[in-house]
Amino acid sequence: MKPLHMTTALLLLAISTALLGFSILLLGPHKHIALTTDFYLISDLLPAKIFNLFAALVFIANAVLAFLSIKQSNLRPILGYLLIATSLVPLGSLLSESMWIASMGGFPVIGSGQGVIKYFALLAIGILLIKRTLSPLLSVWVSIIPVLLVLLWIGGMKFTLFEAQGIEALVKSSPFMGWLYNFFTIQTTSNIIGVYDLIAVALLILAIYYRKLIYPAVLMSGMVFVVTQSFLVTFSASLSSETLLSTTGHFLIKDLWFLVCLCFYYSALKPLAPIAASPKGMTDET
């Protein structure tokens, strides 16, 4: 991975985990941490504020390690292991019924778990920081699977009325997308966003085999997460003068992790030679 790409990735990781950590510390106990401790049946072992403090310190530790790892590459594997541990705890709670919307049939209609599935990005980043000897093609897939998952899953939910209504306030606040409601209904606007997400999924996969698509693939998928970050500014309920971020802000800031994944994806895929047809009509790496 080129130094510039790694620096960008680690800086985004440091910013996101620092904001999450300090915000959790200031916010105090809240339902998202409670859902996790309830799933593991440990909520009664310690006061909620202790679990909250522990979660905050873990994110802050990730931020410190990510920042230090920009210059000290020997710390990157340690950061990788911590990221994996950080991600596995909330990911395990996906097995809880509280993460799914039972009234809509449960799995795969996700409710509180929408923020949880984003931890797959942290898991992938951790693996890539530890397994520096992975083949470029395997690195490509490890880095992009979380992006494909969130675009396909949450993008697919855009075709439901539940999700269309859920994103209305966010979309209306955005100068990039709010104008859509001037021409389309709430559901049609949501469908358009869903189609965009699915096209981004297709491009990311196709770019692995047709390398000329790498730029539109990264640009189109990256814009999803860049626009999400703009909601931190345009949607007033995202930020708080007392806690930095609200729980909505927590959900949004996690999308920086997918930009980190795209950095790894681009860095691993770009140097690979294009797949070209051989004289016999077979394909190979040239």
Side-chain angles (χ1 to χ4, degrees):
M1 192 174 191
K2 291 184 177 180
L4 178 60
H5 296 159
M6 180 60 78
T7 298
T8 301
L10 291 172
L11 191 57
L12 290 174
L13 191 60
I15 291 171
S16 59
T17 50
L19 286 172
L20 277 168
F22 286 112
S23 179
I24 290 172
L25 194 62
L26 294 169
L27 188 64
H30 59 89
K31 69 172 185 177
H32 296 297
I33 293 178
L35 286 173
T36 301
T37 56
D38 286 347
F39 171 74
Y40 289 107
L41 304 177
I42 59 174
S43 295
D44 294 332
L45 296 181
L46 295 168
K49 63 181 181 181
I50 299 299
F51 289 116
N52 185 81
L53 176 62
F54 180 75
L57 292 177
V58 168
F59 278 112
I60 293 171
N62 275 300
V64 171
L65 273 175
F67 183 76
L68 294 176
S69 294
I70 294 174
K71 295 295 184 181
Q72 302 179 48
S73 59
N74 60 306
L75 294 178
R76 291 171 190 172
I78 300 174
L79 172 62
Y81 284 113
L82 183 57
L83 288 173
I84 290 173
T86 303
S87 65
L88 288 178
V89 173
L91 285 174
S93 69
L94 282 175
L95 297 174
S96 170
E97 292 182 358
S98 63
M99 296 296 173
W100 313 99
I101 304 175
S103 62
M104 297 185 67
F107 181 87
V109 183
I110 195 166
S112 298
Q114 283 200 24
V116 175
I117 65 173
K118 294 185 177 185
Y119 284 92
F120 280 111
L122 277 194
L123 178 61
I125 296 166
I127 292 171
L128 291 166
L129 288 173
I130 294 170
K131 298 291 186 180
R132 302 300 302 279
T133 57
L134 289 178
S135 70
L137 190 57
L138 185 54
S139 295
V140 166
W141 281 108
V142 170
S143 63
I144 209 61
I145 283 176
V147 182
L148 298 177
L149 176 67
V150 76
L151 289 177
L152 185 62
W153 203 336
I154 298 181
M157 282 189 62
K158 296 294 188 294
F159 298 98
T160 67
L161 180 60
F162 170 83
E163 185 71 3
Q165 293 174 335
I167 65 171
E168 182 183 1
L170 286 170
V171 174
K172 276 186 174 180
S173 75
S174 172
F176 301 106
M177 295 190 296
W179 58 270
L180 287 169
Y181 289 123
N182 295 328
F183 302 95
F184 306 107
T185 64
I186 291 174
Q187 184 62 67
T188 301
T189 297
S190 185
N191 291 348
I192 291 171
I193 297 171
V195 168
Y196 181 99
D197 290 348
L198 297 181
I199 292 174
V201 166
L203 283 175
L204 287 169
I205 296 173
L206 288 172
I208 298 174
Y209 304 99
Y210 303 96
R211 305 286 156 69
K212 290 182 179 180
L213 295 176
I214 186 172
Y215 292 110
V218 171
L219 180 61
M220 193 168 183
S221 55
M223 282 304 297
V224 174
F225 308 115
V226 170
V227 170
T228 300
Q229 297 313 294
S230 74
F231 293 150
L232 289 170
V233 178
T234 63
F235 188 62
S236 59
S238 300
L239 302 177
S240 169
S241 59
E242 297 179 351
T243 63
L244 298 178
L245 299 173
S246 65
T247 52
T248 298
H250 291 180
F251 176 79
L252 297 173
I253 200 70
K254 291 173 186 175
D255 276 16
L256 286 179
W257 302 342
F258 296 100
L259 291 176
V260 174
C261 286
L262 287 173
C263 283
F264 278 97
Y265 170 81
Y266 176 84
S267 185
L269 184 59
K270 188 65 173 67
L272 291 178
I275 297 176
S278 69
K280 294 183 180 180
M282 301 295 289
T283 59
D284 56 10
E285 295 287 334
T286 59

Short mmCIF file of all heavy atoms in Angstrom, two decimals, residues 200-263:
data_model
loop_
_atom_site.label_atom_id
_atom_site.label_comp_id
_atom_site.label_asym_id
_atom_site.label_seq_id
_atom_site.Cartn_x
_atom_site.Cartn_y
_atom_site.Cartn_z
N ALA A 200 -23.33 0.91 -7.80
CA ALA A 200 -22.00 1.00 -7.20
C ALA A 200 -21.48 -0.39 -6.84
O ALA A 200 -20.30 -0.70 -7.03
CB ALA A 200 -22.04 1.89 -5.96
N VAL A 201 -22.34 -1.25 -6.32
CA VAL A 201 -21.97 -2.64 -6.01
C VAL A 201 -21.48 -3.35 -7.27
O VAL A 201 -20.42 -4.00 -7.27
CB VAL A 201 -23.16 -3.40 -5.40
CG1 VAL A 201 -22.89 -4.91 -5.38
CG2 VAL A 201 -23.45 -2.90 -3.99
N ALA A 202 -22.24 -3.24 -8.34
CA ALA A 202 -21.88 -3.89 -9.60
C ALA A 202 -20.54 -3.39 -10.12
O ALA A 202 -19.69 -4.18 -10.57
CB ALA A 202 -22.98 -3.66 -10.64
N LEU A 203 -20.32 -2.09 -10.05
CA LEU A 203 -19.06 -1.52 -10.55
C LEU A 203 -17.86 -1.98 -9.74
O LEU A 203 -16.79 -2.27 -10.30
CB LEU A 203 -19.14 0.01 -10.53
CG LEU A 203 -19.95 0.67 -11.65
CD1 LEU A 203 -20.05 2.17 -11.41
CD2 LEU A 203 -19.32 0.39 -13.01
N LEU A 204 -18.01 -2.07 -8.42
CA LEU A 204 -16.91 -2.51 -7.57
C LEU A 204 -16.50 -3.94 -7.90
O LEU A 204 -15.31 -4.27 -7.90
CB LEU A 204 -17.30 -2.40 -6.10
CG LEU A 204 -17.36 -0.99 -5.52
CD1 LEU A 204 -18.02 -1.00 -4.15
CD2 LEU A 204 -15.97 -0.38 -5.43
N ILE A 205 -17.47 -4.77 -8.20
CA ILE A 205 -17.16 -6.17 -8.56
C ILE A 205 -16.58 -6.24 -9.97
O ILE A 205 -15.56 -6.91 -10.20
CB ILE A 205 -18.43 -7.04 -8.45
CG1 ILE A 205 -18.90 -7.09 -7.00
CG2 ILE A 205 -18.15 -8.45 -8.97
CD1 ILE A 205 -20.24 -7.79 -6.80
N LEU A 206 -17.19 -5.54 -10.91
CA LEU A 206 -16.72 -5.57 -12.30
C LEU A 206 -15.31 -5.01 -12.43
O LEU A 206 -14.52 -5.47 -13.27
CB LEU A 206 -17.69 -4.79 -13.19
CG LEU A 206 -19.04 -5.44 -13.46
CD1 LEU A 206 -19.96 -4.48 -14.19
CD2 LEU A 206 -18.87 -6.73 -14.27
N ALA A 207 -14.97 -4.02 -11.60
CA ALA A 207 -13.65 -3.40 -11.68
C ALA A 207 -12.53 -4.39 -11.36
O ALA A 207 -11.39 -4.21 -11.81
CB ALA A 207 -13.57 -2.21 -10.73
N ILE A 208 -12.85 -5.43 -10.62
CA ILE A 208 -11.84 -6.45 -10.31
C ILE A 208 -11.43 -7.19 -11.57
O ILE A 208 -10.28 -7.62 -11.72
CB ILE A 208 -12.38 -7.43 -9.25
CG1 ILE A 208 -12.69 -6.68 -7.95
CG2 ILE A 208 -11.40 -8.58 -8.99
CD1 ILE A 208 -13.37 -7.51 -6.88
N TYR A 209 -12.34 -7.31 -12.51
CA TYR A 209 -12.08 -8.04 -13.75
C TYR A 209 -11.86 -7.13 -14.95
O TYR A 209 -11.23 -7.52 -15.93
CB TYR A 209 -13.24 -9.00 -14.02
CG TYR A 209 -13.50 -9.93 -12.86
CD1 TYR A 209 -14.51 -9.67 -11.93
CD2 TYR A 209 -12.69 -11.05 -12.66
CE1 TYR A 209 -14.71 -10.51 -10.84
CE2 TYR A 209 -12.89 -11.89 -11.57
CZ TYR A 209 -13.90 -11.62 -10.67
OH TYR A 209 -14.08 -12.44 -9.59
N TYR A 210 -12.40 -5.91 -14.86
CA TYR A 210 -12.21 -4.92 -15.93
C TYR A 210 -11.66 -3.66 -15.27
O TYR A 210 -12.41 -2.79 -14.85
CB TYR A 210 -13.53 -4.64 -16.64
CG TYR A 210 -14.18 -5.88 -17.22
CD1 TYR A 210 -15.17 -6.55 -16.50
CD2 TYR A 210 -13.77 -6.40 -18.45
CE1 TYR A 210 -15.75 -7.71 -17.01
CE2 TYR A 210 -14.35 -7.54 -18.96
CZ TYR A 210 -15.33 -8.19 -18.24
OH TYR A 210 -15.90 -9.34 -18.74
N ARG A 211 -10.33 -3.59 -15.21
CA ARG A 211 -9.66 -2.59 -14.37
C ARG A 211 -9.94 -1.15 -14.79
O ARG A 211 -9.73 -0.23 -14.01
CB ARG A 211 -8.16 -2.85 -14.35
CG ARG A 211 -7.79 -4.26 -13.92
CD ARG A 211 -7.96 -4.50 -12.43
NE ARG A 211 -8.16 -5.90 -12.12
CZ ARG A 211 -7.23 -6.84 -12.24
NH1 ARG A 211 -6.04 -6.55 -12.67
NH2 ARG A 211 -7.52 -8.08 -11.93
N LYS A 212 -10.41 -0.94 -16.02
CA LYS A 212 -10.71 0.43 -16.46
C LYS A 212 -11.88 1.01 -15.67
O LYS A 212 -12.10 2.23 -15.68
CB LYS A 212 -11.04 0.45 -17.95
CG LYS A 212 -9.83 0.18 -18.85
CD LYS A 212 -10.20 0.26 -20.32
CE LYS A 212 -8.99 0.02 -21.20
NZ LYS A 212 -9.33 0.10 -22.64
N LEU A 213 -12.63 0.15 -14.99
CA LEU A 213 -13.78 0.61 -14.21
C LEU A 213 -13.42 1.01 -12.79
O LEU A 213 -14.29 1.41 -12.01
CB LEU A 213 -14.85 -0.49 -14.17
CG LEU A 213 -15.50 -0.86 -15.50
CD1 LEU A 213 -16.46 -2.04 -15.30
CD2 LEU A 213 -16.25 0.33 -16.09
N ILE A 214 -12.14 0.91 -12.44
CA ILE A 214 -11.75 1.15 -11.05
C ILE A 214 -12.08 2.58 -10.60
O ILE A 214 -12.56 2.80 -9.49
CB ILE A 214 -10.25 0.84 -10.82
CG1 ILE A 214 -9.91 0.96 -9.33
CG2 ILE A 214 -9.37 1.74 -11.67
CD1 ILE A 214 -8.50 0.48 -9.00
N TYR A 215 -11.86 3.57 -11.48
CA TYR A 215 -12.11 4.96 -11.09
C TYR A 215 -13.60 5.24 -10.91
O TYR A 215 -13.99 5.81 -9.87
CB TYR A 215 -11.48 5.91 -12.10
CG TYR A 215 -9.97 5.88 -12.07
CD1 TYR A 215 -9.24 5.34 -13.13
CD2 TYR A 215 -9.27 6.36 -10.97
CE1 TYR A 215 -7.86 5.29 -13.09
CE2 TYR A 215 -7.88 6.32 -10.92
CZ TYR A 215 -7.18 5.78 -11.99
OH TYR A 215 -5.80 5.73 -11.94
N PRO A 216 -14.46 4.88 -11.86
CA PRO A 216 -15.89 5.10 -11.60
C PRO A 216 -16.41 4.28 -10.43
O PRO A 216 -17.30 4.73 -9.70
CB PRO A 216 -16.56 4.70 -12.92
CG PRO A 216 -15.57 3.90 -13.67
CD PRO A 216 -14.23 4.40 -13.23
N ALA A 217 -15.84 3.09 -10.22
CA ALA A 217 -16.29 2.25 -9.11
C ALA A 217 -15.97 2.90 -7.77
O ALA A 217 -16.83 3.01 -6.88
CB ALA A 217 -15.64 0.87 -9.20
N VAL A 218 -14.74 3.35 -7.61
CA VAL A 218 -14.32 3.97 -6.34
C VAL A 218 -15.02 5.31 -6.16
O VAL A 218 -15.47 5.65 -5.05
CB VAL A 218 -12.79 4.13 -6.31
CG1 VAL A 218 -12.36 4.97 -5.11
CG2 VAL A 218 -12.11 2.76 -6.26
N LEU A 219 -15.13 6.08 -7.23
CA LEU A 219 -15.76 7.40 -7.14
C LEU A 219 -17.24 7.27 -6.78
O LEU A 219 -17.74 7.96 -5.88
CB LEU A 219 -15.60 8.15 -8.46
CG LEU A 219 -16.21 9.56 -8.51
CD1 LEU A 219 -15.54 10.46 -7.48
CD2 LEU A 219 -16.08 10.15 -9.90
N MET A 220 -17.94 6.38 -7.46
CA MET A 220 -19.38 6.25 -7.25
C MET A 220 -19.69 5.71 -5.86
O MET A 220 -20.58 6.22 -5.16
CB MET A 220 -19.98 5.34 -8.32
CG MET A 220 -21.49 5.38 -8.38
SD MET A 220 -22.11 4.56 -9.87
CE MET A 220 -23.87 4.86 -9.69
N SER A 221 -18.96 4.69 -5.43
CA SER A 221 -19.21 4.13 -4.10
C SER A 221 -18.70 5.08 -3.02
O SER A 221 -19.34 5.26 -1.97
CB SER A 221 -18.53 2.77 -3.96
OG SER A 221 -17.15 2.85 -4.24
N GLY A 222 -17.56 5.74 -3.27
CA GLY A 222 -17.03 6.67 -2.29
C GLY A 222 -17.96 7.84 -2.03
O GLY A 222 -18.07 8.33 -0.90
N MET A 223 -18.68 8.28 -3.08
CA MET A 223 -19.59 9.40 -2.92
C MET A 223 -20.73 9.07 -1.96
O MET A 223 -21.26 9.96 -1.29
CB MET A 223 -20.15 9.83 -4.27
CG MET A 223 -19.21 10.66 -5.11
SD MET A 223 -18.65 12.15 -4.24
CE MET A 223 -20.21 13.02 -4.02
N VAL A 224 -21.10 7.80 -1.89
CA VAL A 224 -22.15 7.40 -0.94
C VAL A 224 -21.74 7.78 0.47
O VAL A 224 -22.51 8.37 1.25
CB VAL A 224 -22.40 5.88 -1.01
CG1 VAL A 224 -23.38 5.44 0.09
CG2 VAL A 224 -22.94 5.49 -2.38
N PHE A 225 -20.48 7.47 0.81
CA PHE A 225 -20.01 7.70 2.17
C PHE A 225 -19.59 9.14 2.41
O PHE A 225 -19.68 9.63 3.54
CB PHE A 225 -18.87 6.72 2.46
CG PHE A 225 -19.23 5.29 2.15
CD1 PHE A 225 -18.60 4.60 1.13
CD2 PHE A 225 -20.25 4.67 2.85
CE1 PHE A 225 -18.96 3.29 0.83
CE2 PHE A 225 -20.63 3.36 2.56
CZ PHE A 225 -19.97 2.67 1.53
N VAL A 226 -19.16 9.82 1.36
CA VAL A 226 -18.85 11.25 1.49
C VAL A 226 -20.13 12.04 1.75
O VAL A 226 -20.18 12.93 2.62
CB VAL A 226 -18.14 11.78 0.23
CG1 VAL A 226 -18.04 13.30 0.26
CG2 VAL A 226 -16.74 11.17 0.11
N VAL A 227 -21.18 11.73 0.99
CA VAL A 227 -22.46 12.41 1.19
C VAL A 227 -23.00 12.12 2.58
O VAL A 227 -23.57 13.01 3.24
CB VAL A 227 -23.48 12.00 0.11
CG1 VAL A 227 -24.87 12.51 0.45
CG2 VAL A 227 -23.06 12.53 -1.25
N THR A 228 -22.80 10.90 3.05
CA THR A 228 -23.23 10.56 4.41
C THR A 228 -22.56 11.47 5.43
O THR A 228 -23.19 11.92 6.39
CB THR A 228 -22.92 9.09 4.73
OG1 THR A 228 -23.60 8.25 3.80
CG2 THR A 228 -23.37 8.73 6.14
N GLN A 229 -21.26 11.74 5.23
CA GLN A 229 -20.55 12.62 6.16
C GLN A 229 -21.09 14.04 6.10
O GLN A 229 -21.04 14.77 7.09
CB GLN A 229 -19.05 12.60 5.86
CG GLN A 229 -18.39 11.25 6.05
CD GLN A 229 -18.77 10.60 7.36
OE1 GLN A 229 -18.43 11.09 8.44
NE2 GLN A 229 -19.49 9.48 7.29
N SER A 230 -21.61 14.43 4.94
CA SER A 230 -22.17 15.79 4.83
C SER A 230 -23.41 15.94 5.72
O SER A 230 -23.74 17.06 6.14
CB SER A 230 -22.53 16.11 3.38
OG SER A 230 -23.70 15.42 2.95
N PHE A 231 -24.08 14.83 6.03
CA PHE A 231 -25.24 14.89 6.92
C PHE A 231 -24.84 15.37 8.32
O PHE A 231 -25.68 15.90 9.06
CB PHE A 231 -25.91 13.53 7.04
CG PHE A 231 -26.56 13.05 5.77
CD1 PHE A 231 -26.65 11.69 5.50
CD2 PHE A 231 -27.08 13.94 4.85
CE1 PHE A 231 -27.26 11.24 4.33
CE2 PHE A 231 -27.68 13.50 3.68
CZ PHE A 231 -27.77 12.15 3.42
N LEU A 232 -23.58 15.16 8.69
CA LEU A 232 -23.12 15.62 9.99
C LEU A 232 -23.23 17.14 10.11
O LEU A 232 -23.40 17.69 11.20
CB LEU A 232 -21.67 15.19 10.22
CG LEU A 232 -21.43 13.69 10.46
CD1 LEU A 232 -19.95 13.39 10.42
CD2 LEU A 232 -22.03 13.25 11.79
N VAL A 233 -23.14 17.80 8.95
CA VAL A 233 -23.23 19.26 8.93
C VAL A 233 -24.66 19.72 8.66
O VAL A 233 -25.16 20.65 9.30
CB VAL A 233 -22.28 19.84 7.86
CG1 VAL A 233 -22.41 21.36 7.78
CG2 VAL A 233 -20.84 19.44 8.16
N THR A 234 -25.32 19.05 7.71
CA THR A 234 -26.64 19.52 7.28
C THR A 234 -27.77 19.07 8.19
O THR A 234 -28.80 19.76 8.29
CB THR A 234 -26.94 19.05 5.85
OG1 THR A 234 -26.99 17.60 5.82
CG2 THR A 234 -25.86 19.52 4.88
N PHE A 235 -27.62 17.92 8.85
CA PHE A 235 -28.68 17.40 9.71
C PHE A 235 -28.37 17.79 11.15
O PHE A 235 -27.44 17.26 11.77
CB PHE A 235 -28.79 15.89 9.57
CG PHE A 235 -29.96 15.28 10.27
CD1 PHE A 235 -31.26 15.61 9.92
CD2 PHE A 235 -29.78 14.34 11.29
CE1 PHE A 235 -32.36 15.06 10.57
CE2 PHE A 235 -30.86 13.78 11.94
CZ PHE A 235 -32.15 14.13 11.57
N SER A 236 -29.12 18.72 11.69
CA SER A 236 -28.79 19.32 12.99
C SER A 236 -28.75 18.31 14.13
O SER A 236 -28.02 18.51 15.11
CB SER A 236 -29.81 20.42 13.31
OG SER A 236 -31.13 19.90 13.36
N ALA A 237 -29.51 17.24 14.02
CA ALA A 237 -29.56 16.25 15.11
C ALA A 237 -28.34 15.35 15.14
O ALA A 237 -28.21 14.49 16.02
CB ALA A 237 -30.82 15.39 14.98
N SER A 238 -27.40 15.53 14.23
CA SER A 238 -26.21 14.68 14.18
C SER A 238 -25.15 15.11 15.18
O SER A 238 -24.40 14.28 15.70
CB SER A 238 -25.60 14.70 12.77
OG SER A 238 -26.50 14.23 11.81
N LEU A 239 -25.07 16.41 15.42
CA LEU A 239 -24.04 16.96 16.29
C LEU A 239 -24.66 17.48 17.58
O LEU A 239 -25.84 17.78 17.65
CB LEU A 239 -23.30 18.10 15.59
CG LEU A 239 -22.62 17.75 14.26
CD1 LEU A 239 -22.00 18.99 13.65
CD2 LEU A 239 -21.55 16.69 14.47
N SER A 240 -23.82 17.56 18.59
CA SER A 240 -24.28 18.08 19.88
C SER A 240 -23.16 18.90 20.50
O SER A 240 -21.99 18.48 20.50
CB SER A 240 -24.66 16.93 20.82
OG SER A 240 -24.85 17.39 22.13
N SER A 241 -23.50 20.06 21.02
CA SER A 241 -22.49 20.90 21.67
C SER A 241 -22.01 20.27 22.97
O SER A 241 -20.94 20.61 23.47
CB SER A 241 -23.07 22.29 21.95
OG SER A 241 -24.23 22.19 22.79
N GLU A 242 -22.79 19.35 23.52
CA GLU A 242 -22.45 18.73 24.80
C GLU A 242 -21.72 17.39 24.62
O GLU A 242 -20.87 17.04 25.43
CB GLU A 242 -23.71 18.52 25.64
CG GLU A 242 -24.40 19.82 26.02
CD GLU A 242 -25.67 19.58 26.83
OE1 GLU A 242 -26.09 18.41 26.95
OE2 GLU A 242 -26.23 20.57 27.33
N THR A 243 -22.07 16.65 23.56
CA THR A 243 -21.49 15.31 23.41
C THR A 243 -20.78 15.11 22.06
O THR A 243 -20.47 13.99 21.70
CB THR A 243 -22.60 14.24 23.54
OG1 THR A 243 -23.56 14.41 22.49
CG2 THR A 243 -23.29 14.34 24.89
N LEU A 244 -20.50 16.17 21.33
CA LEU A 244 -19.86 16.11 20.01
C LEU A 244 -20.79 15.50 18.97
O LEU A 244 -21.18 16.13 18.01
CB LEU A 244 -18.54 15.34 20.06
CG LEU A 244 -17.44 15.91 20.95
CD1 LEU A 244 -16.21 15.01 20.92
CD2 LEU A 244 -17.06 17.32 20.51
N LEU A 245 -21.13 14.22 19.17
CA LEU A 245 -22.01 13.51 18.26
C LEU A 245 -23.22 12.97 19.02
O LEU A 245 -23.10 12.57 20.18
CB LEU A 245 -21.29 12.33 17.59
CG LEU A 245 -20.06 12.63 16.74
CD1 LEU A 245 -19.40 11.32 16.32
CD2 LEU A 245 -20.43 13.44 15.51
N SER A 246 -24.35 12.94 18.34
CA SER A 246 -25.52 12.24 18.89
C SER A 246 -25.40 10.78 18.47
O SER A 246 -24.46 10.39 17.77
CB SER A 246 -26.80 12.85 18.32
OG SER A 246 -26.85 12.63 16.92
N THR A 247 -26.35 9.95 18.86
CA THR A 247 -26.33 8.56 18.40
C THR A 247 -26.50 8.49 16.88
O THR A 247 -25.96 7.59 16.23
CB THR A 247 -27.41 7.73 19.10
OG1 THR A 247 -28.69 8.38 18.96
CG2 THR A 247 -27.11 7.56 20.58
N THR A 248 -27.24 9.45 16.31
CA THR A 248 -27.33 9.53 14.84
C THR A 248 -25.96 9.85 14.26
O THR A 248 -25.55 9.29 13.24
CB THR A 248 -28.34 10.62 14.42
OG1 THR A 248 -29.63 10.29 14.91
CG2 THR A 248 -28.38 10.74 12.90
N GLY A 249 -25.24 10.74 14.92
CA GLY A 249 -23.89 11.07 14.49
C GLY A 249 -22.96 9.87 14.56
O GLY A 249 -22.09 9.69 13.70
N HIS A 250 -23.15 9.01 15.57
CA HIS A 250 -22.36 7.79 15.67
C HIS A 250 -22.59 6.92 14.44
O HIS A 250 -21.64 6.37 13.86
CB HIS A 250 -22.78 6.99 16.91
CG HIS A 250 -22.40 7.64 18.19
ND1 HIS A 250 -22.68 7.08 19.43
CD2 HIS A 250 -21.76 8.82 18.47
CE1 HIS A 250 -22.24 7.87 20.38
NE2 HIS A 250 -21.68 8.93 19.82
N PHE A 251 -23.85 6.79 14.05
CA PHE A 251 -24.20 5.98 12.88
C PHE A 251 -23.53 6.54 11.63
O PHE A 251 -23.01 5.78 10.80
CB PHE A 251 -25.72 5.96 12.71
CG PHE A 251 -26.21 5.24 11.50
CD1 PHE A 251 -26.29 3.86 11.47
CD2 PHE A 251 -26.59 5.94 10.36
CE1 PHE A 251 -26.73 3.18 10.35
CE2 PHE A 251 -27.03 5.29 9.23
CZ PHE A 251 -27.11 3.90 9.22
N LEU A 252 -23.53 7.85 11.49
CA LEU A 252 -22.99 8.47 10.27
C LEU A 252 -21.47 8.43 10.22
O LEU A 252 -20.90 8.16 9.17
CB LEU A 252 -23.47 9.92 10.19
CG LEU A 252 -24.99 10.14 10.07
CD1 LEU A 252 -25.32 11.62 10.17
CD2 LEU A 252 -25.51 9.57 8.74
N ILE A 253 -20.80 8.68 11.32
CA ILE A 253 -19.34 8.78 11.32
C ILE A 253 -18.69 7.44 10.99
O ILE A 253 -17.56 7.39 10.47
CB ILE A 253 -18.82 9.32 12.69
CG1 ILE A 253 -17.41 9.89 12.54
CG2 ILE A 253 -18.84 8.22 13.74
CD1 ILE A 253 -17.34 11.17 11.77
N LYS A 254 -19.40 6.35 11.25
CA LYS A 254 -18.85 5.03 10.96
C LYS A 254 -18.63 4.81 9.47
O LYS A 254 -17.86 3.92 9.07
CB LYS A 254 -19.78 3.93 11.50
CG LYS A 254 -19.84 3.86 13.02
CD LYS A 254 -20.89 2.87 13.48
CE LYS A 254 -21.06 2.89 14.98
NZ LYS A 254 -22.17 2.00 15.44
N ASP A 255 -19.28 5.62 8.63
CA ASP A 255 -19.09 5.46 7.19
C ASP A 255 -17.68 5.84 6.75
O ASP A 255 -17.26 5.50 5.64
CB ASP A 255 -20.13 6.28 6.42
CG ASP A 255 -21.45 5.55 6.28
OD1 ASP A 255 -21.66 4.56 7.00
OD2 ASP A 255 -22.28 5.96 5.44
N LEU A 256 -16.94 6.55 7.60
CA LEU A 256 -15.54 6.82 7.29
C LEU A 256 -14.76 5.51 7.18
O LEU A 256 -13.75 5.43 6.46
CB LEU A 256 -14.91 7.71 8.36
CG LEU A 256 -15.32 9.19 8.35
CD1 LEU A 256 -14.62 9.93 9.49
CD2 LEU A 256 -14.99 9.84 7.02
N TRP A 257 -15.20 4.48 7.90
CA TRP A 257 -14.52 3.19 7.84
C TRP A 257 -14.60 2.59 6.43
O TRP A 257 -13.67 1.91 5.99
CB TRP A 257 -15.12 2.21 8.85
CG TRP A 257 -15.07 2.69 10.27
CD1 TRP A 257 -14.27 3.68 10.77
CD2 TRP A 257 -15.86 2.22 11.37
NE1 TRP A 257 -14.51 3.85 12.11
CE2 TRP A 257 -15.47 2.97 12.51
CE3 TRP A 257 -16.82 1.24 11.51
CZ2 TRP A 257 -16.04 2.76 13.77
CZ3 TRP A 257 -17.40 1.02 12.75
CH2 TRP A 257 -17.00 1.78 13.87
N PHE A 258 -15.69 2.86 5.73
CA PHE A 258 -15.83 2.33 4.38
C PHE A 258 -14.93 3.08 3.40
O PHE A 258 -14.46 2.50 2.41
CB PHE A 258 -17.29 2.37 3.94
CG PHE A 258 -18.17 1.48 4.78
CD1 PHE A 258 -18.95 2.01 5.79
CD2 PHE A 258 -18.17 0.11 4.58
CE1 PHE A 258 -19.73 1.19 6.59
CE2 PHE A 258 -18.95 -0.73 5.37
CZ PHE A 258 -19.73 -0.19 6.37
N LEU A 259 -14.67 4.34 3.67
CA LEU A 259 -13.69 5.07 2.87
C LEU A 259 -12.30 4.48 3.08
O LEU A 259 -11.49 4.42 2.14
CB LEU A 259 -13.71 6.55 3.22
CG LEU A 259 -14.97 7.33 2.81
CD1 LEU A 259 -14.90 8.76 3.31
CD2 LEU A 259 -15.14 7.31 1.29
N VAL A 260 -12.01 4.05 4.30
CA VAL A 260 -10.74 3.37 4.58
C VAL A 260 -10.66 2.07 3.78
O VAL A 260 -9.64 1.76 3.17
CB VAL A 260 -10.59 3.08 6.09
CG1 VAL A 260 -9.34 2.25 6.35
CG2 VAL A 260 -10.53 4.38 6.88
N CYS A 261 -11.76 1.32 3.78
CA CYS A 261 -11.81 0.08 2.99
C CYS A 261 -11.56 0.36 1.51
O CYS A 261 -10.86 -0.41 0.82
CB CYS A 261 -13.15 -0.62 3.17
SG CYS A 261 -13.36 -1.44 4.77
N LEU A 262 -12.12 1.44 1.00
CA LEU A 262 -11.93 1.80 -0.40
C LEU A 262 -10.48 2.19 -0.68
O LEU A 262 -9.96 1.95 -1.77
CB LEU A 262 -12.87 2.93 -0.80
CG LEU A 262 -14.35 2.55 -0.95
CD1 LEU A 262 -15.20 3.79 -1.17
CD2 LEU A 262 -14.54 1.56 -2.09
N CYS A 263 -9.80 2.78 0.31
CA CYS A 263 -8.37 3.08 0.16
C CYS A 263 -7.58 1.78 -0.02
O CYS A 263 -6.71 1.70 -0.89
CB CYS A 263 -7.85 3.82 1.40
SG CYS A 263 -8.30 5.57 1.48
#
